[in-house]
Amino acid sequence: EHIIDSAEIAGFNLTGSDGLVMADIDGDGYEDIVSVHEADDDYNSAASNEDGFVPDAGGHIRLAFGSADPEVWHNITLTEAPAPEDAAIADVNGDGYLDIMVAVELAYLLYLQNPGPGARTELWPQLILPITKDRGSFIRVFMADLNGDNRPETIAANKGAQRPGIKDFMRSDPVSIYSVTGDPLDGGNWQETILGKYSVPQNAQPVDLDRDGDLDIVIGSRGEERIAWFENIGNMAFKEHAIGTIGRHAHGFNMDYADMNGDGRLDIVSLTRRGVAWFQQPNNIDDGWIGHPIGAFPPDNLIGITLVDIDGDEDQDLFAGGYSGGSRLDESETPIDSPLGRLAWFENPGADYQPGKDWARHEVSRRKRGMFDKFIARDLDGDGDMDLLSTRGNSAPYDGVFWLEQVRSSKPMPRFKAARVTESQEVGLP
């Protein structure tokens, strides 16, 4: 484990680390990391709002500039926002520099414009998209060119309530495309196209699901516990299709995509109530999608996932992270049979796959406190195997951004080496 950003590095209480994305922001040839930090260390952001608690509007958006050395990062705070949850990167104003859009879970969508050569030192101009204000929580955001005009659109799920209760589940909130004409810093230049409305929508991800050369959109609804997709039929027109999952329901909070069985069609990997599964795209895309189990790691809550070839055998394994469920500040009374902060990976069986059987699970770490929501796979140290970058929450003062170096050895060695001497307690399974 290697630390990229933390409260100690930031010089303030950096907590609730959540989404992250990577791209070369300053054009120096090295990928940089945009990370968002929700500042939810004193409350459970996954609980219902019916307890009457109103969270403080805190949170930070951070940028770690990369270098030739994966141990050396230059970290800055771009701005503060009320519980930022996710971020996306694209050149919105067409000046050749990558800009940032942030889904702010307590409030709105926030646009941050890259100032150019002074990205490390100058203030980034910003705009709260006016059409997203006073609509509650935004939890996921993506940017992609949906119509081939070389200008990205923003796709976002308006979750509605950060901590939804019964009344929130009974309401339908939109999944939308946000387009801009002219100066992105002028709020009047943004337009919204609503794709559909759902009970607690929590994902809206651009992907060429039908492999016809343009980007479609896959959405996930927590309240309806289903996923669906919008077919891009050209000229910013989209047609909704149900995804009839068979064997288990998918809510689409985190999804990934790959041709899992080599039939030339793109399959969907998603969380379900029983862990992670991959859903096989049928020959006719509107027929039923069979769910195949990948695995789970009880008693811990598996949340963060990414497909990556961990073992170098040219198929897609799955790396996963879990949420600890106890106190985010004190672990002295946290039992080991409660949901803890878990890291593990599941090995793709390849030709040895047996229908209905989970993939082999390999443990990495299990600490009393930790939330691992999102992963990005890169060979960060250039040694030929894949490493993982991630954020960590639920564990102040250990929250922040880190990377996991995959180390291979012909001799036995510990499966995990923490970056810190003082850490949340590492424990085994009950």
Side-chain angles (χ1 to χ4, degrees), residues 62-106:
R62 298 272 286 173
L63 176 50
F65 290 97
S67 71
D69 184 348
E71 301 280 12
V72 177
W73 302 83
H74 176 70
N75 291 276
I76 64 171
T77 297
L78 290 177
T79 191
E80 297 182 10
E85 174 77 18
D86 195 22
I89 300 173
D91 180 7
V92 176
N93 63 345
D95 66 352
Y97 295 95
L98 294 173
D99 310 302
I100 299 168
M101 188 72 76
V102 179
V104 181
E105 194 171 11
L106 287 177

Side-chain angles (χ1 to χ4, degrees), residues 27 154-155 164 178 191 196 254 287 340 347 379 409 417:
T154 297
I155 309 100
Y178 298 90
Q191 301 86 38
N254 279 323
D287 287 345
L340 305 183
E347 182 179 354
D379 181 7
S409 173
K417 182 179 180 181

Side-chain angles (χ1 to χ4, degrees), residues 28 100 185 235 260 340 354 396 402:
D28 65 353
I100 299 168
L185 292 171
N235 297 317
M260 301 297 288
L340 305 183
Q354 299 179 34
F402 68 97

